[in-house]
Amino acid sequence: MATGRTHRTATRSRGIPEATVARLPLYLRALTALSERSVPTVSSEELAAAAGVNSAKLRKDFSYLGSYGTRGVGYDVEYLVYQISRELGLTQDWPVVIVGIGNLGAALANYGGFASRGFRVAALIDADPAMAGKPVAGIPVQHTDELEKIIDDNGVSIGVIATPAGAAQQVCERLVAAGVTSILNFAPTVLSVPDGVDVRKVDLSIELQILAFHEQRKAGEEAEAQADAVLAAEAEAAAAKGAGKGPDGDVPAVMPA
Amino acid sequence: MATGRTHRTATRSRGIPEATVARLPLYLRALTALSERSVPTVSSEELAAAAGVNSAKLRKDFSYLGSYGTRGVGYDVEYLVYQISRELGLTQDWPVVIVGIGNLGAALANYGGFASRGFRVAALIDADPAMAGKPVAGIPVQHTDELEKIIDDNGVSIGVIATPAGAAQQVCERLVAAGVTSILNFAPTVLSVPDGVDVRKVDLSIELQILAFHEQRKAGEEAEAQADAVLAAEAEAAAAKGAGKGPDGDVPAVMPA
DNA sequence: ACATGTGAACTAATTCACAGCC
DNA sequence: GGCTGTGAATTAGTTCACATGT
Protein backbone atom coordinates (compact mmCIF):
# COMPACT_ATOMS: atom_id res chain seq x y z
CA MET A 1 0.00 0.00 0.00
CA ALA A 2 0.92 3.67 -0.38
CA THR A 3 3.42 2.98 -3.12
CA GLY A 4 2.85 4.85 -6.34
CA ARG A 5 3.86 8.50 -6.30
CA THR A 6 6.46 8.95 -9.00
CA HIS A 7 7.98 11.83 -7.08
CA ARG A 8 7.12 14.79 -9.25
CA THR A 9 9.58 17.50 -8.28
CA ALA A 10 13.02 17.29 -6.77
CA THR A 11 11.73 19.32 -3.82
CA ARG A 12 12.55 16.58 -1.40
CA SER A 13 12.21 12.87 -1.89
CA ARG A 14 9.65 10.65 -0.29
CA GLY A 15 9.78 9.19 3.17
CA ILE A 16 11.64 10.80 5.99
CA PRO A 17 12.15 7.84 8.35
CA GLU A 18 9.77 7.81 11.27
CA ALA A 19 12.65 7.70 13.74
CA THR A 20 14.00 10.87 12.19
CA VAL A 21 10.64 12.63 12.36
CA ALA A 22 10.45 11.81 16.03
CA ARG A 23 13.78 13.54 16.63
CA LEU A 24 13.11 16.70 14.66
CA PRO A 25 11.20 18.33 17.51
CA LEU A 26 14.18 17.63 19.74
CA TYR A 27 16.55 19.36 17.37
CA LEU A 28 14.13 22.20 16.98
CA ARG A 29 14.01 22.78 20.69
CA ALA A 30 17.77 22.79 21.00
CA LEU A 31 18.07 25.14 18.05
CA THR A 32 15.46 27.48 19.46
CA ALA A 33 17.45 27.72 22.66
CA LEU A 34 20.57 28.57 20.66
CA SER A 35 18.61 31.09 18.64
CA GLU A 36 17.51 32.84 21.81
CA ARG A 37 21.10 33.10 22.89
CA SER A 38 21.80 34.57 19.47
CA VAL A 39 24.23 31.82 18.55
CA PRO A 40 24.63 32.14 14.78
CA THR A 41 25.95 28.71 13.82
CA VAL A 42 26.34 25.32 15.40
CA SER A 43 28.21 22.14 14.52
CA SER A 44 26.59 18.75 14.35
CA GLU A 45 28.65 17.78 17.36
CA GLU A 46 27.41 20.64 19.51
CA LEU A 47 23.81 20.39 18.43
CA ALA A 48 23.81 16.65 18.89
CA ALA A 49 25.07 17.07 22.43
CA ALA A 50 22.32 19.61 23.15
CA ALA A 51 19.69 17.28 21.78
CA GLY A 52 21.05 14.21 23.50
CA VAL A 53 21.89 12.16 20.41
CA ASN A 54 25.14 11.36 18.65
CA SER A 55 26.37 13.51 15.84
CA ALA A 56 26.35 10.87 13.10
CA LYS A 57 22.67 10.29 13.70
CA LEU A 58 21.93 13.97 13.61
CA ARG A 59 23.77 14.48 10.35
CA LYS A 60 22.02 11.54 8.80
CA ASP A 61 18.69 12.91 10.01
CA PHE A 62 19.38 16.29 8.47
CA SER A 63 20.49 14.68 5.25
CA TYR A 64 16.90 13.50 4.75
CA LEU A 65 15.72 17.10 4.83
CA GLY A 66 18.36 18.36 2.46
CA SER A 67 21.82 19.85 2.60
CA TYR A 68 21.32 22.68 4.99
CA GLY A 69 24.80 22.85 6.49
CA THR A 70 28.13 24.25 5.39
CA ARG A 71 31.14 21.98 5.37
CA GLY A 72 33.88 23.12 7.63
CA VAL A 73 31.48 25.48 9.41
CA GLY A 74 28.27 23.90 10.63
CA TYR A 75 24.61 24.85 10.45
CA ASP A 76 23.04 28.29 10.43
CA VAL A 77 20.81 28.25 13.48
CA GLU A 78 18.01 30.52 12.26
CA TYR A 79 17.86 28.87 8.92
CA LEU A 80 17.65 25.39 10.39
CA VAL A 81 14.94 26.47 12.81
CA TYR A 82 12.94 27.64 9.87
CA GLN A 83 13.53 24.55 7.77
CA ILE A 84 12.67 22.12 10.53
CA SER A 85 9.62 24.15 11.54
CA ARG A 86 8.42 24.05 7.98
CA GLU A 87 9.11 20.35 7.65
CA LEU A 88 7.12 19.66 10.79
CA GLY A 89 4.27 21.83 9.62
CA LEU A 90 4.70 24.37 12.40
CA THR A 91 4.56 27.36 10.14
CA GLN A 92 0.84 26.94 10.12
CA ASP A 93 -1.71 27.14 12.88
CA TRP A 94 -3.09 23.91 14.30
CA PRO A 95 -6.31 24.23 16.26
CA VAL A 96 -6.55 21.45 18.82
CA VAL A 97 -9.39 20.26 21.00
CA ILE A 98 -8.92 18.57 24.35
CA VAL A 99 -11.64 16.13 25.33
CA GLY A 100 -11.95 15.19 28.98
CA ILE A 101 -11.23 18.06 31.33
CA GLY A 102 -10.36 16.22 34.50
CA ASN A 103 -7.11 16.65 36.36
CA LEU A 104 -5.03 15.71 33.38
CA GLY A 105 -7.09 17.54 30.78
CA ALA A 106 -6.95 20.70 32.84
CA ALA A 107 -3.20 20.32 33.28
CA LEU A 108 -2.81 19.94 29.53
CA ALA A 109 -4.97 23.00 28.89
CA ASN A 110 -2.76 24.98 31.23
CA TYR A 111 0.45 23.65 29.77
CA GLY A 112 2.34 26.47 28.15
CA GLY A 113 4.06 24.39 25.50
CA PHE A 114 0.70 23.96 23.88
CA ALA A 115 0.01 27.51 22.91
CA SER A 116 3.42 28.05 21.40
CA ARG A 117 4.70 26.38 18.26
CA GLY A 118 1.64 26.71 16.13
CA PHE A 119 -0.72 24.78 18.36
CA ARG A 120 -3.77 26.55 19.69
CA VAL A 121 -6.33 25.13 22.08
CA ALA A 122 -9.49 25.76 20.11
CA ALA A 123 -11.83 24.17 22.63
CA LEU A 124 -12.14 22.14 25.81
CA ILE A 125 -14.81 19.49 25.85
CA ASP A 126 -16.19 17.47 28.73
CA ALA A 127 -19.12 15.12 29.23
CA ASP A 128 -20.02 16.53 32.63
CA PRO A 129 -22.82 19.12 32.25
CA ALA A 130 -21.67 20.73 35.49
CA MET A 131 -18.39 21.64 33.82
CA ALA A 132 -20.05 23.41 30.90
CA GLY A 133 -19.25 27.10 30.83
CA LYS A 134 -16.63 26.90 33.54
CA PRO A 135 -13.39 28.42 32.31
CA VAL A 136 -10.23 26.32 32.47
CA ALA A 137 -7.02 28.04 31.49
CA GLY A 138 -9.20 30.92 30.37
CA ILE A 139 -11.23 28.79 27.98
CA PRO A 140 -14.84 27.88 28.77
CA VAL A 141 -15.50 24.15 28.81
CA GLN A 142 -18.13 22.99 26.34
CA HIS A 143 -20.35 19.97 26.55
CA THR A 144 -19.72 16.83 24.52
CA ASP A 145 -22.94 17.41 22.64
CA GLU A 146 -21.19 20.24 20.83
CA LEU A 147 -18.24 18.11 19.77
CA GLU A 148 -19.08 17.72 16.10
CA LYS A 149 -20.00 21.36 15.71
CA ILE A 150 -16.80 22.52 17.42
CA ILE A 151 -14.61 20.36 15.20
CA ASP A 152 -16.37 21.56 12.13
CA ASP A 153 -16.52 25.26 12.99
CA ASN A 154 -12.85 25.41 13.91
CA GLY A 155 -11.47 23.12 11.25
CA VAL A 156 -9.86 20.97 13.90
CA SER A 157 -7.79 18.05 12.67
CA ILE A 158 -5.92 17.19 15.87
CA GLY A 159 -7.69 15.94 18.96
CA VAL A 160 -6.37 15.17 22.42
CA ILE A 161 -8.17 12.54 24.45
CA ALA A 162 -7.79 12.86 28.21
CA THR A 163 -10.93 11.03 29.25
CA PRO A 164 -11.13 7.94 31.43
CA ALA A 165 -10.23 4.76 29.58
CA GLY A 166 -13.84 3.66 29.29
CA ALA A 167 -14.89 6.69 27.27
CA ALA A 168 -11.87 6.95 25.03
CA GLN A 169 -12.86 4.71 22.14
CA GLN A 170 -16.26 6.30 21.83
CA VAL A 171 -14.84 9.81 21.94
CA CYS A 172 -12.27 8.75 19.40
CA GLU A 173 -14.94 7.56 17.02
CA ARG A 174 -16.87 10.78 17.30
CA LEU A 175 -13.74 12.83 16.71
CA VAL A 176 -12.85 10.80 13.65
CA ALA A 177 -16.39 10.92 12.29
CA ALA A 178 -16.32 14.69 12.71
CA GLY A 179 -13.14 14.98 10.67
CA VAL A 180 -10.23 14.65 13.10
CA THR A 181 -7.35 12.70 11.55
CA SER A 182 -4.70 12.88 14.28
CA ILE A 183 -5.22 11.86 17.85
CA LEU A 184 -3.07 12.14 20.90
CA ASN A 185 -4.35 9.63 23.40
CA PHE A 186 -3.69 9.94 27.12
CA ALA A 187 -6.26 7.35 28.10
CA PRO A 188 -4.81 3.95 28.96
CA THR A 189 -6.54 2.10 26.13
CA VAL A 190 -5.72 0.90 22.67
CA LEU A 191 -7.74 2.97 20.25
CA SER A 192 -8.82 1.47 17.00
CA VAL A 193 -9.13 3.88 14.13
CA PRO A 194 -9.67 3.64 10.40
CA ASP A 195 -6.78 3.90 7.98
CA GLY A 196 -5.53 7.39 7.44
CA VAL A 197 -5.96 8.39 11.06
CA ASP A 198 -2.82 8.73 13.18
CA VAL A 199 -2.81 7.92 16.83
CA ARG A 200 -0.03 8.56 19.28
CA LYS A 201 -0.33 7.45 22.85
CA VAL A 202 1.13 8.86 25.99
CA ASP A 203 0.88 6.40 28.79
CA LEU A 204 2.27 7.06 32.21
CA SER A 205 1.67 3.57 33.44
CA ILE A 206 3.51 1.98 30.55
CA GLU A 207 6.51 4.24 30.98
CA LEU A 208 6.75 3.37 34.64
CA GLN A 209 6.55 -0.31 33.89
CA ILE A 210 9.37 -0.06 31.41
CA LEU A 211 11.46 1.72 34.01
CA ALA A 212 10.59 -0.92 36.56
CA PHE A 213 11.80 -3.61 34.21
CA HIS A 214 15.20 -2.00 33.87
CA GLU A 215 15.31 -1.15 37.53
CA GLN A 216 14.73 -4.77 38.41
CA ARG A 217 17.51 -5.71 36.02
CA LYS A 218 19.92 -3.42 37.79
CA ALA A 219 19.03 -4.85 41.17
CA GLY A 220 19.52 -8.34 39.79
CA GLU A 221 22.92 -7.45 38.46
CA GLU A 222 24.15 -6.78 41.97
CA ALA A 223 22.71 -9.86 43.53
CA GLU A 224 23.79 -11.98 40.54
CA ALA A 225 24.70 -15.52 41.37
CA GLN A 226 22.47 -16.13 44.36
CA ALA A 227 19.51 -14.40 42.76
CA ASP A 228 20.00 -16.41 39.62
CA ALA A 229 19.69 -19.60 41.57
CA VAL A 230 16.59 -18.35 43.35
CA LEU A 231 14.97 -17.25 40.13
CA ALA A 232 15.67 -20.56 38.49
CA ALA A 233 13.95 -22.34 41.34
CA GLU A 234 11.09 -19.87 41.22
CA ALA A 235 10.69 -20.32 37.50
CA GLU A 236 10.52 -24.04 37.92
CA ALA A 237 7.95 -23.77 40.67
CA ALA A 238 5.91 -21.36 38.61
CA ALA A 239 6.14 -23.59 35.59
CA ALA A 240 4.92 -26.53 37.62
CA LYS A 241 2.07 -24.50 38.99
CA GLY A 242 1.17 -23.03 35.64
CA ALA A 243 0.85 -26.41 34.09
CA GLY A 244 -1.42 -27.56 36.88
CA LYS A 245 -3.42 -24.32 37.07
CA GLY A 246 -2.37 -23.61 40.64
CA PRO A 247 -4.20 -21.63 43.34
CA ASP A 248 -4.36 -17.96 42.46
CA GLY A 249 -3.50 -16.90 45.96
CA ASP A 250 0.05 -16.77 44.72
CA VAL A 251 -0.67 -14.86 41.58
CA PRO A 252 -0.68 -11.16 42.40
CA ALA A 253 -3.92 -9.46 41.49
CA VAL A 254 -2.60 -6.83 39.17
CA MET A 255 -5.11 -4.08 38.51
CA PRO A 256 -5.78 -2.49 35.16
CA ALA A 257 -4.37 0.97 34.90
CA MET B 1 30.67 -1.83 27.85
CA ALA B 2 28.10 -4.10 29.43
CA THR B 3 29.33 -7.12 27.55
CA GLY B 4 30.73 -9.96 29.62
CA ARG B 5 28.14 -12.01 31.48
CA THR B 6 28.66 -15.56 30.42
CA HIS B 7 25.00 -16.32 31.09
CA ARG B 8 25.21 -18.54 34.12
CA THR B 9 21.93 -20.38 34.22
CA ALA B 10 19.53 -21.32 31.48
CA THR B 11 16.82 -19.42 33.36
CA ARG B 12 16.23 -17.16 30.41
CA SER B 13 18.87 -15.80 28.15
CA ARG B 14 20.16 -12.28 28.15
CA GLY B 15 18.54 -9.39 26.47
CA ILE B 16 14.85 -9.15 25.88
CA PRO B 17 14.72 -6.65 23.00
CA GLU B 18 13.81 -3.16 24.07
CA ALA B 19 10.93 -3.06 21.61
CA THR B 20 9.52 -6.17 23.26
CA VAL B 21 9.87 -4.73 26.74
CA ALA B 22 7.95 -1.68 25.62
CA ARG B 23 5.06 -3.88 24.52
CA LEU B 24 4.84 -6.09 27.58
CA PRO B 25 2.80 -3.51 29.52
CA LEU B 26 0.37 -3.45 26.63
CA TYR B 27 -0.08 -7.20 26.71
CA LEU B 28 -0.39 -7.10 30.44
CA ARG B 29 -3.20 -4.60 30.28
CA ALA B 30 -5.09 -6.62 27.70
CA LEU B 31 -4.57 -9.78 29.73
CA THR B 32 -5.74 -8.12 32.90
CA ALA B 33 -8.94 -7.11 31.17
CA LEU B 34 -9.46 -10.71 30.06
CA SER B 35 -8.68 -11.94 33.55
CA GLU B 36 -11.38 -9.69 34.97
CA ARG B 37 -13.87 -11.14 32.57
CA SER B 38 -12.69 -14.56 33.77
CA VAL B 39 -11.54 -15.61 30.32
CA PRO B 40 -9.36 -18.66 30.96
CA THR B 41 -7.28 -18.84 27.79
CA VAL B 42 -6.55 -16.66 24.80
CA SER B 43 -4.93 -17.20 21.43
CA SER B 44 -2.11 -15.08 20.09
CA GLU B 45 -4.52 -13.82 17.47
CA GLU B 46 -7.10 -12.61 19.97
CA LEU B 47 -4.63 -11.14 22.39
CA ALA B 48 -2.76 -9.40 19.62
CA ALA B 49 -5.97 -7.78 18.44
CA ALA B 50 -6.72 -6.59 21.96
CA ALA B 51 -3.25 -5.13 22.31
CA GLY B 52 -3.24 -3.57 18.88
CA VAL B 53 -0.31 -5.51 17.40
CA ASN B 54 -0.10 -8.40 14.97
CA SER B 55 0.01 -11.92 16.21
CA ALA B 56 3.42 -12.87 14.81
CA LYS B 57 4.99 -10.04 16.75
CA LEU B 58 3.22 -11.06 19.90
CA ARG B 59 4.33 -14.66 19.63
CA LYS B 60 7.89 -13.60 18.97
CA ASP B 61 7.74 -11.27 21.95
CA PHE B 62 6.50 -14.05 24.21
CA SER B 63 9.15 -16.39 22.88
CA TYR B 64 11.77 -14.18 24.53
CA LEU B 65 10.14 -14.77 27.88
CA GLY B 66 9.84 -18.50 27.46
CA SER B 67 7.36 -21.03 26.19
CA TYR B 68 4.30 -20.07 28.11
CA GLY B 69 1.64 -21.16 25.65
CA THR B 70 0.09 -24.47 24.67
CA ARG B 71 0.10 -25.45 21.01
CA GLY B 72 -3.31 -25.91 19.60
CA VAL B 73 -4.83 -24.09 22.55
CA GLY B 74 -3.34 -20.69 23.34
CA TYR B 75 -2.16 -18.98 26.50
CA ASP B 76 -3.45 -19.37 30.03
CA VAL B 77 -4.50 -15.85 30.95
CA GLU B 78 -3.74 -15.92 34.67
CA TYR B 79 -0.45 -17.59 34.16
CA LEU B 80 0.67 -15.10 31.55
CA VAL B 81 -0.41 -12.18 33.71
CA TYR B 82 1.82 -13.55 36.41
CA GLN B 83 4.79 -14.19 34.15
CA ILE B 84 4.69 -10.79 32.52
CA SER B 85 4.19 -9.06 35.84
CA ARG B 86 7.19 -10.85 37.19
CA GLU B 87 9.27 -10.07 34.14
CA LEU B 88 8.41 -6.40 34.42
CA GLY B 89 9.21 -6.39 38.11
CA LEU B 90 5.66 -5.62 39.16
CA THR B 91 5.51 -8.30 41.79
CA GLN B 92 7.42 -5.97 43.99
CA ASP B 93 6.54 -2.58 45.37
CA TRP B 94 8.07 0.49 43.74
CA PRO B 95 7.97 3.64 45.80
CA VAL B 96 7.96 6.67 43.54
CA VAL B 97 8.44 10.35 44.22
CA ILE B 98 6.95 13.11 42.14
CA VAL B 99 8.90 16.33 42.05
CA GLY B 100 7.12 19.48 40.95
CA ILE B 101 3.52 19.65 42.10
CA GLY B 102 2.06 22.10 39.62
CA ASN B 103 -0.89 21.35 37.41
CA LEU B 104 0.77 18.35 35.87
CA GLY B 105 2.37 17.00 39.01
CA ALA B 106 -0.95 17.19 40.82
CA ALA B 107 -2.68 15.45 37.94
CA LEU B 108 -0.08 12.69 38.05
CA ALA B 109 -0.49 12.33 41.80
CA ASN B 110 -4.21 11.94 41.32
CA TYR B 111 -3.86 9.53 38.45
CA GLY B 112 -5.23 6.17 39.46
CA GLY B 113 -2.97 4.07 37.29
CA PHE B 114 -0.14 5.06 39.52
CA ALA B 115 -1.27 3.42 42.69
CA SER B 116 -2.05 0.13 41.04
CA ARG B 117 0.48 -2.25 39.56
CA GLY B 118 3.09 -2.06 42.23
CA PHE B 119 3.74 1.65 42.06
CA ARG B 120 3.17 3.72 45.14
CA VAL B 121 3.49 7.46 45.44
CA ALA B 122 5.85 7.69 48.38
CA ALA B 123 6.12 11.46 48.39
CA LEU B 124 5.29 14.68 46.59
CA ILE B 125 8.00 17.31 46.50
CA ASP B 126 7.82 20.94 45.49
CA ALA B 127 10.16 23.89 45.69
CA ASP B 128 7.44 26.33 46.72
CA PRO B 129 7.43 26.70 50.53
CA ALA B 130 3.77 27.74 50.34
CA MET B 131 2.93 24.25 49.07
CA ALA B 132 4.59 22.49 51.97
CA GLY B 133 2.14 20.55 54.07
CA LYS B 134 -0.75 21.01 51.67
CA PRO B 135 -2.25 17.66 50.78
CA VAL B 136 -2.52 16.71 47.13
CA ALA B 137 -4.30 13.48 46.34
CA GLY B 138 -4.24 12.87 50.08
CA ILE B 139 -0.48 13.15 50.34
CA PRO B 140 1.11 16.18 52.00
CA VAL B 141 3.57 18.02 49.77
CA GLN B 142 7.08 18.26 51.16
CA HIS B 143 9.69 20.85 50.47
CA THR B 144 12.62 20.24 48.15
CA ASP B 145 14.99 20.58 51.08
CA GLU B 146 13.81 17.19 52.24
CA LEU B 147 14.45 15.50 48.90
CA GLU B 148 17.53 13.52 49.83
CA LYS B 149 16.08 12.40 53.13
CA ILE B 150 12.83 11.30 51.50
CA ILE B 151 14.62 9.25 48.85
CA ASP B 152 16.78 7.65 51.43
CA ASP B 153 14.09 6.93 54.03
CA ASN B 154 11.76 5.37 51.49
CA GLY B 155 14.31 3.54 49.40
CA VAL B 156 13.05 5.29 46.30
CA SER B 157 14.67 4.31 43.03
CA ILE B 158 12.17 5.82 40.59
CA GLY B 159 11.60 9.55 40.36
CA VAL B 160 9.11 11.52 38.30
CA ILE B 161 10.07 15.04 37.29
CA ALA B 162 7.17 17.37 36.60
CA THR B 163 8.93 20.66 37.26
CA PRO B 164 9.33 23.52 34.80
CA ALA B 165 12.06 22.90 32.24
CA GLY B 166 14.50 25.21 33.94
CA ALA B 167 14.56 23.25 37.18
CA ALA B 168 14.58 19.75 35.71
CA GLN B 169 18.31 19.13 35.30
CA GLN B 170 19.08 20.31 38.78
CA VAL B 171 16.32 18.22 40.29
CA CYS B 172 17.53 15.29 38.25
CA GLU B 173 21.04 15.62 39.62
CA ARG B 174 19.80 15.73 43.19
CA LEU B 175 17.62 12.68 42.63
CA VAL B 176 20.49 10.75 41.12
CA ALA B 177 22.91 11.83 43.82
CA ALA B 178 20.38 10.64 46.38
CA GLY B 179 20.19 7.21 44.79
CA VAL B 180 17.44 7.34 42.18
CA THR B 181 18.38 5.31 39.11
CA SER B 182 15.25 5.62 36.97
CA ILE B 183 13.64 8.86 35.96
CA LEU B 184 10.45 9.65 34.16
CA ASN B 185 10.79 13.15 32.80
CA PHE B 186 7.78 15.31 31.94
CA ALA B 187 9.79 18.50 31.66
CA PRO B 188 10.56 19.56 28.10
CA THR B 189 14.32 19.26 28.44
CA VAL B 190 17.00 16.75 27.65
CA LEU B 191 18.33 15.43 30.91
CA SER B 192 21.90 14.33 31.14
CA VAL B 193 22.55 11.55 33.57
CA PRO B 194 25.49 9.29 34.41
CA ASP B 195 25.70 5.76 33.06
CA GLY B 196 23.46 3.32 34.80
CA VAL B 197 20.60 5.77 35.17
CA ASP B 198 17.59 5.31 32.91
CA VAL B 199 15.57 8.22 31.68
CA ARG B 200 12.31 8.08 29.84
CA LYS B 201 10.67 11.22 28.62
CA VAL B 202 7.06 12.08 28.10
CA ASP B 203 6.71 15.17 26.02
CA LEU B 204 3.38 16.54 24.95
CA SER B 205 4.87 19.10 22.65
CA ILE B 206 6.96 16.56 20.78
CA GLU B 207 4.01 14.25 20.27
CA LEU B 208 1.93 17.06 18.85
CA GLN B 209 4.71 18.05 16.50
CA ILE B 210 4.99 14.52 15.20
CA LEU B 211 1.26 14.48 14.59
CA ALA B 212 1.48 17.83 12.84
CA PHE B 213 4.12 16.45 10.53
CA HIS B 214 1.88 13.60 9.42
CA GLU B 215 -1.13 15.85 9.31
CA GLN B 216 0.66 18.21 6.97
CA ARG B 217 1.60 15.23 4.82
CA LYS B 218 -2.01 14.21 4.49
CA ALA B 219 -3.05 17.71 3.49
CA GLY B 220 -0.27 17.83 0.95
CA GLU B 221 -1.34 14.56 -0.59
CA GLU B 222 -4.65 16.13 -1.55
CA ALA B 223 -3.23 19.34 -2.93
CA GLU B 224 -0.38 17.51 -4.63
CA ALA B 225 0.79 19.13 -7.86
CA GLN B 226 0.01 22.75 -7.18
CA ALA B 227 1.34 22.61 -3.64
CA ASP B 228 4.50 20.99 -4.85
CA ALA B 229 5.18 23.91 -7.13
CA VAL B 230 4.49 26.41 -4.39
CA LEU B 231 6.71 24.60 -1.94
CA ALA B 232 9.54 24.47 -4.41
CA ALA B 233 9.34 28.22 -4.90
CA GLU B 234 9.12 28.73 -1.16
CA ALA B 235 12.14 26.57 -0.57
CA GLU B 236 14.13 28.55 -3.07
CA ALA B 237 13.14 31.83 -1.50
CA ALA B 238 14.00 30.49 1.92
CA ALA B 239 17.34 29.23 0.68
CA ALA B 240 18.17 32.65 -0.71
CA LYS B 241 17.17 34.32 2.51
CA GLY B 242 18.91 31.80 4.72
CA ALA B 243 22.22 32.40 3.01
CA GLY B 244 21.90 36.12 3.48
CA LYS B 245 20.54 35.97 7.04
CA GLY B 246 17.26 37.63 6.16
CA PRO B 247 14.89 39.64 8.36
CA ASP B 248 13.36 37.47 11.02
CA GLY B 249 9.93 38.82 10.36
CA ASP B 250 9.46 35.93 8.02
CA VAL B 251 10.95 33.29 10.21
CA PRO B 252 8.28 32.23 12.66
CA ALA B 253 9.32 32.91 16.21
CA VAL B 254 9.05 29.42 17.55
CA MET B 255 9.04 29.38 21.31
CA PRO B 256 10.72 26.78 23.46
CA ALA B 257 8.19 24.49 24.98
C1' DA C 1 -7.13 -29.82 13.39
C1' DC C 2 -5.03 -26.04 15.47
C1' DA C 3 -2.16 -22.59 17.40
C1' DT C 4 2.44 -22.05 19.28
C1' DG C 5 7.38 -21.23 18.70
C1' DT C 6 11.07 -20.07 15.75
C1' DG C 7 14.56 -20.13 11.99
C1' DA C 8 14.96 -17.48 7.83
C1' DA C 9 13.97 -13.43 5.01
C1' DC C 10 13.18 -8.90 5.05
C1' DT C 11 12.91 -4.04 6.46
C1' DA C 12 14.21 -0.20 9.40
C1' DA C 13 17.51 2.23 12.09
C1' DT C 14 22.06 3.14 13.68
C1' DT C 15 26.89 3.61 13.37
C1' DC C 16 31.18 3.74 10.87
C1' DA C 17 34.43 5.94 8.21
C1' DC C 18 35.78 8.81 4.76
C1' DA C 19 35.19 11.45 0.36
C1' DG C 20 33.98 16.07 -0.67
C1' DC C 21 33.80 20.84 0.09
C1' DC C 22 34.47 25.18 2.49
C1' DG D 1 42.00 21.85 9.17
C1' DG D 2 37.52 21.03 10.04
C1' DC D 3 32.92 19.61 9.47
C1' DT D 4 29.27 18.08 6.49
C1' DG D 5 26.97 14.56 3.78
C1' DT D 6 26.56 9.85 2.65
C1' DG D 7 27.57 5.13 0.87
C1' DA D 8 28.67 0.84 3.22
C1' DA D 9 28.53 -2.11 7.24
C1' DT D 10 26.22 -3.29 11.22
C1' DT D 11 22.65 -4.00 14.38
C1' DA D 12 17.75 -4.05 15.74
C1' DG D 13 13.14 -5.09 14.75
C1' DT D 14 9.41 -7.12 11.99
C1' DT D 15 7.14 -10.40 9.18
C1' DC D 16 6.84 -14.79 6.88
C1' DA D 17 5.92 -19.49 6.78
C1' DC D 18 6.13 -23.84 8.58
C1' DA D 19 7.86 -27.54 11.61
C1' DT D 20 6.45 -28.94 16.06
C1' DG D 21 3.71 -30.47 19.71
C1' DT D 22 -0.98 -31.10 21.87
Side-chain angles (χ1 to χ4, degrees), chain B residues 77-96:
Chain B
V77 171
E78 293 298 328
Y79 182 54
L80 246 195
V81 164
Y82 172 70
Q83 289 299 344
I84 296 180
S85 296
R86 198 174 57 87
E87 196 68 57
L88 285 171
L90 304 181
T91 53
Q92 62 188 277
D93 183 68
W94 295 103
V96 169

Side-chain angles (χ1 to χ4, degrees), chain A residues 8 18 29 32 36 87 89 111 117 181-182 200 203-204 207 209 214-216 218 228 245 256, chain B residues 8 18 29 36 76 87 111 117 181-182 200 203-204 207 209 214-216 218 228 254 256:
Chain A
R8 57 197 67 242
E18 192 53 37
R29 185 176 286 156
T32 306
E36 270 161 13
E87 196 68 58
Y111 178 56
R117 291 200 197 275
T181 45
S182 286
R200 295 192 65 86
D203 196 317
L204 168 60
E207 298 301 324
Q209 290 175 46
H214 292 298
E215 199 56 42
Q216 177 181 236
K218 289 176 204 162
D228 254 343
K245 196 71 91 15
Chain B
R8 57 197 69 241
E18 191 54 35
R29 185 176 286 157
E36 269 162 15
D76 181 281
E87 196 68 57
Y111 178 56
R117 291 202 198 274
T181 46
S182 286
R200 293 192 67 85
D203 195 316
L204 168 59
E207 298 302 324
Q209 290 176 46
H214 293 297
E215 200 56 42
Q216 177 180 237
K218 290 175 204 164
D228 254 343
V254 181

Side-chain angles (χ1 to χ4, degrees), chain B residues 88-214:
Chain B
L88 285 171
L90 304 181
T91 53
Q92 62 188 277
D93 183 68
W94 295 103
V96 169
V97 297
I98 303 175
V99 186
I101 313 302
N103 280 310
L104 180 60
L108 295 177
N110 277 295
Y111 178 56
F114 237 120
S116 55
R117 291 202 198 274
F119 300 102
R120 181 171 49 82
V121 179
L124 304 179
I125 303 177
D126 198 278
D128 181 359
M131 292 284 297
K134 279 216 262 180
V136 171
I139 302 166
V141 175
Q142 295 177 265
H143 190 263
T144 318
D145 289 347
E146 312 290 323
L147 189 145
E148 286 76 11
K149 181 167 162 39
I150 295 166
I151 302 292
D152 200 53
D153 288 357
N154 294 277
V156 173
S157 56
I158 301 178
V160 176
I161 298 180
T163 65
Q169 179 62 44
Q170 193 190 324
V171 165
C172 173
E173 280 162 21
R174 285 183 64 181
L175 287 173
V176 170
V180 166
T181 46
S182 286
I183 290 176
L184 182 49
N185 180 31
F186 284 86
T189 326
V190 176
L191 293 179
S192 61
V193 293
D195 277 7
V197 176
D198 279 306
V199 176
R200 293 192 67 85
K201 72 153 61 216
V202 171
D203 195 316
L204 168 59
S205 169
I206 285 179
E207 298 302 324
L208 280 178
Q209 290 176 46
I210 295 170
L211 285 176
F213 172 85
H214 293 297

